[in-house]
Amino acid sequence: MSEAVRTILQTNADAAQETSTQTDAGFLWDFWYPAVRSAEIRGQKLVTTMLLEVPLVLGRTAEGKAFAMRDSCPHRGIPLSYGRLDGKVLECCYHGWRFDACSGQCVEIPSLSSQDKLKVERIFAGHYPCEERDGYVWVYMSGPGTRLPEATPAAPALAVFSKKYKITHLSCELPSHVDQGIIGLMDPAHGPFVHQSWFWRKRASIHEKAKQFEPIPSGFRMSPHQPSANSAPYRLLAKMTGETVTTTIDFMLPNLRTEIDRSGKLWFSSRATVTPVRRDLCRIDFVAAWNLPIPVSLFRPFAKKFLRQDQLTMIQQAEGLKYNPRLMLIDDADRQAKWYFALKANLLESRRTGAAMVHPMDGPVTLRWRS
Ligand code: FES
Ligand SMILES: [Fe+2]
């Protein structure tokens, strides 16, 4: 083969490879993701965001129903967010095509004459199911080319255990792929190094732990247990009720980690999600609710500091990941990360073949690590 031909073939192969990685960014489609906070969409305001590299425009109809459309006019692609919302219909700023905000269906094309036969109602702007829960607007990101299921599953909801409770939300962006964000979230070994704080724990308190895990649908659970005795908040909780504290931590695809702590009548419930924005950017959304006598103003600074510590670490990690280093996952500290990757791969495989999803765990297992 001549050198020139070889070069051309190689370039084509590179291009093919590039397109395939461009189309597959390792996202999990057909799941709910939190898009924006509910409070951000008020009145006629249009808010833009991005999920899984899809630009979105969100708003609220006059009746208060949140909607999410692809931020791109199906006519010439100008972002619909430059248009105008009149309470029910979104009008594109370029040629004035009008779309029903909730269904995306086109309701008017001003340029059509009485002679034109174009069926306006057959034109749709991209739109996604949208639901509000726990102060977030959740968007169901159906995969490119896949049909929406007849009934989309319900959006996730934070577990609460009393009528009255306090609730707070925090979020932060991480300059990394969602997979790194998620395995960071479930990584027990970074605690003593990244989250050293006088109020939480000291590095010297590192000790051996054994935790039981069990499979749950699309995820795994750290079986209900008494939390680490070296954590001040848990000691406080036990002191307040005089009863033992039990903690249950779940991870579920695509990106949810929930933690429920209960002691007598008192409870604390939190959820962290890591949502892909682009392949090089994800966002942690953290919501916590509790009925402990702790004011939001006291809890928030601690939670914020915690999240900030994770964020700084991930910013530093992103510096290193730029150069595609080889990485390792070790037992047992990284076993949860291994399960995450296996769950993800098995889900994709089951979607590909139509067969039931194989769970990577075949029963309860005890993991041991020092932290
Ligand atoms: S680009 Fe939107 S109406 Fe033409
Ligand atoms: Fe952390």
Side-chain angles (χ1 to χ4, degrees), residues 72-78 80 92-99 110:
S72 172
C73 179
H75 183 211
R76 298 283 174 75
I78 200 167
L80 287 170
C92 179
C93 70
Y94 202 167
H95 312 93
W97 291 21
R98 290 162 62 77
F99 303 93

Side-chain angles (χ1 to χ4, degrees), residues 184-187 190-191 194-195 306-307 309-311 313:
L185 194 71
M186 57 179 58
D187 165 23
H190 77 285
V194 172
H195 300 298
F306 220 75
L307 219 51
Q309 289 167 335
D310 283 322
Q311 186 187 35
T313 309

Side-chain angles (χ1 to χ4, degrees), residues 129-370:
C130 201
E131 275 183 33
E132 291 184 78
R133 291 260 198 301
D134 315 319
Y136 294 101
V137 182
W138 292 77
V139 176
Y140 188 82
M141 294 305 291
S142 47
T146 56
R147 275 256 203 111
L148 271 182
E150 297 272 292
T152 40
L158 186 70
V160 295
F161 304 94
S162 57
K163 262 215 183 100
K164 281 180 110 185
Y165 54 85
K166 299 176 189 79
I167 187 163
T168 192
H169 305 78
L170 288 166
S171 88
C172 79
E173 287 190 331
L174 308 175
S176 39
H177 189 275
V178 63
D179 288 346
Q180 291 300 336
I182 286 177
I183 67 172
L185 194 71
M186 57 179 58
D187 165 23
H190 77 285
F193 300 91
V194 172
H195 300 298
Q196 289 179 50
S197 289
W198 61 267
F199 61 85
W200 187 251
R201 48 175 302 169
K202 299 257 174 309
R203 179 169 164 173
S205 72
I206 191 165
H207 66 285
E208 191 153 329
K209 289 177 186 162
K211 297 271 155 78
Q212 236 216 359
F213 287 82
E214 58 195 90
I216 56 172
S218 304
F220 49 87
R221 166 170 298 166
M222 189 189 285
S223 312
H225 65 284
Q226 321 259 309
S228 168
N230 57 11
S231 301
Y234 298 123
R235 276 206 307 269
L236 185 70
L237 191 55
K239 216 173 236 164
M240 279 194 286
T241 59
E243 294 180 51
T244 54
V245 184
T246 46
T247 293
T248 308
I249 300 174
D250 286 356
F251 173 79
M252 272 160 300
L253 287 180
N255 65 346
L256 293 102
R257 178 194 191 270
T258 59
E259 173 167 347
I260 296 171
D261 306 315
R262 302 191 71 171
S263 177
K265 281 206 174 76
L266 298 183
W267 58 270
F268 174 89
S269 170
S270 72
R271 179 186 64 221
T273 48
V274 188
T275 295
V277 179
R278 301 186 311 252
R279 67 197 68 195
D280 61 347
L281 183 69
C282 60
R283 192 187 65 237
I284 298 186
D285 291 296
F286 175 79
V287 55
W290 64 89
N291 74 342
L292 310 164
I294 295 174
V296 170
S297 58
L298 186 66
F299 175 79
R300 269 184 80 86
F302 291 127
K304 229 181 192 162
K305 174 154 184 187
F306 220 75
L307 219 51
R308 181 76 186 137
Q309 289 167 335
D310 283 322
Q311 186 187 35
L312 282 176
T313 309
M314 306 269 318
I315 291 171
Q316 293 171 335
Q317 187 195 17
E319 263 177 53
L321 292 180
K322 264 194 277 188
Y323 308 103
N324 284 320
R326 284 177 61 99
L327 307 174
M328 311 187 229
L329 294 174
I330 65 161
D331 281 328
D332 281 348
D334 297 331
R335 185 81 69 85
Q336 296 176 75
K338 292 184 182 180
W339 287 335
Y340 164 67
F341 286 116
L343 282 163
K344 199 174 159 181
N346 295 4
L347 172 75
L348 292 173
E349 181 62 9
S350 92
R351 284 181 177 178
R352 196 181 65 77
T353 60
M357 177 176 162
V358 179
H359 200 290
M361 303 165 72
D362 44 21
V365 30
T366 302
L367 301 187
R368 289 168 212 281
W369 64 75
R370 285 171 50 84

